[in-house]
Amino acid sequence: MIALLLALVPLLVPFAAQPLARHALDRLAPARALWMLTACALALAASCAAALGALVLTGLLKLPLFAALDDLIHPLHTPSDLLVLPAAALATGALALTACTLARSALRQAGAFRTARTQASRRPAAGDLCVVESPHPDAYALPGRPHRIVVTTAMLRSLGAAEREALFAHERAHNGAGHHYFLAVAELTAHCHPALHAVRADIRFAAERAADETAARTVGDRRLTARAIARAALAGRVAPSSRPDFAPAATTGPVPRRVTALLTPGHPRAARWIALGLALGVALSAGSATAAVLGVHHQVEVAQGEEHGRPSRG
């Protein structure tokens, strides 16, 4: 029963991480918030997967067929089959659904990335800038070797010369900081727990805010950067895009909130309690998942006749 309760803790902690993530965006510098939220999301997703795996293994080893495959003398013994078996069945379904959605997302993202790279390679590039003929305004940072900034002709026509430079600085900031890695992790973790969907959006916002700040420093004009982002987002608000989700773009996220942050910059406020709360949540989740896995391992040893790691079979 204790192992079951421990396995449930990592499934509940991510719900508490959502409000803390939102506060982190408001109180921390964007780049620091990006690192913190991504690391926390990855740790919470891993703990969730480990806890579900412990539940699945417990349920399987209670069945004679799987117990025999693992050389158990008798099926795994737990205090309450009425709770463990349904929990194991639900955990199996959750892991199967996670695996299916992850595989589908990976295939879709890989296809979109190949299409974007192929499209970019067919156009002459000026440095890292690749202009694509299209009636739909769009611009995004495309990872790969080499990095590319892909912008459509419609987007170029929507902006003035100075605004274009601000937009290019924003996209170069994405490539320079490797934001596609953070977005890929956010996409991965969002499939591992429903509560991490909201954290994925927060990670995306943090990446855009970090690029906004870098672009503002590069062009030396926060108002110009805000205007470029607002006009680019307005132009591309209904334009379809085939870019992969991990290819960051200046037109994504809550643009009004980003523009407001650029026009009314504030100094990051002390947020030790937010960092502490996230760290405690991760520690609780990881510790509970580890304890659940070790508990299952100990039960398996007992069922194999190796109590306390010492063989009891002749």
Side-chain angles (χ1 to χ4, degrees):
M1 183 64 68
I2 295 178
L4 176 60
L5 294 177
L6 287 173
L8 292 178
V9 171
L11 306 181
L12 298 176
V13 171
F15 291 106
Q18 290 179 291
L20 289 176
R22 183 57 53 88
H23 284 297
L25 290 175
D26 295 333
R27 292 178 175 270
L28 295 175
R32 182 175 297 179
L34 178 61
W35 275 99
M36 180 179 294
L37 294 182
T38 305
C40 289
L42 186 59
L44 292 175
S47 299
C48 180
L52 290 174
L55 288 174
V56 170
L57 184 60
T58 300
L60 289 177
L61 293 181
K62 290 186 68 63
L63 304 177
L65 175 62
F66 290 96
L69 290 176
D70 202 35
D71 295 328
L72 269 62
I73 296 176
H74 52 76
L76 210 63
H77 174 73
T78 55
S80 176
D81 292 351
L82 294 177
L83 291 177
V84 172
L85 291 179
L90 290 173
T92 302
L95 281 179
L97 180 61
T98 297
C100 289
T101 56
L102 270 175
R104 186 168 61 250
S105 176
L107 290 174
R108 181 174 60 84
Q109 297 297 326
F113 178 67
R114 284 195 301 268
T115 299
R117 289 297 303 185
T118 300
Q119 186 183 46
S121 64
R122 290 175 180 171
R123 299 290 189 276
D128 61 348
L129 181 63
C130 178
V131 179
V132 176
E133 184 71 33
S134 173
H136 304 297
D138 197 13
Y140 56 92
L142 184 62
R145 295 184 179 179
H147 291 325
R148 286 283 184 261
I149 297 172
V150 179
V151 59
T152 65
T153 51
M155 180 62 79
L156 292 178
R157 289 192 294 267
S158 301
L159 304 176
E163 293 166 344
R164 293 175 192 169
E165 291 304 316
L167 179 66
F168 298 158
H170 176 97
E171 303 302 351
R172 288 191 178 100
H174 280 311
N175 278 334
H179 287 165
H180 50 281
Y181 293 117
F182 295 91
L183 299 186
V185 171
E187 186 68 23
L188 168 70
T189 58
H191 293 284
C192 297
H193 194 285
L196 295 179
H197 281 271
V199 179
R200 173 179 59 182
D202 292 332
I203 291 173
R204 287 182 174 277
F205 178 75
E208 294 304 326
R209 281 286 300 119
D212 290 344
E213 292 296 328
T214 301
R217 289 194 298 269
T218 300
V219 301
D221 191 332
R222 299 183 68 87
R223 187 171 295 276
L224 170 63
T225 305
R227 186 170 68 248
I229 291 169
R231 292 191 64 180
L234 186 64
R237 68 188 186 281
V238 294
S241 177
S242 59
R243 64 176 178 263
D245 291 340
F246 57 82
T251 57
T252 58
V255 175
R257 188 176 168 198
R258 291 167 52 198
V259 170
T260 300
L262 281 169
L263 295 179
T264 56
H267 299 288
R269 292 170 286 176
R272 293 180 181 177
W273 67 271
I274 295 177
L276 179 61
L278 289 172
L280 288 176
V282 168
L284 177 62
S285 183
S288 299
T290 301
V293 171
L294 292 177
V296 173
H297 176 69
H298 176 72
Q299 289 177 326
V300 170
E301 286 188 334
V302 172
Q304 287 175 332
E306 297 177 355
E307 177 71 46
H308 303 302
R310 297 179 179 178
S312 62
R313 288 179 289 185

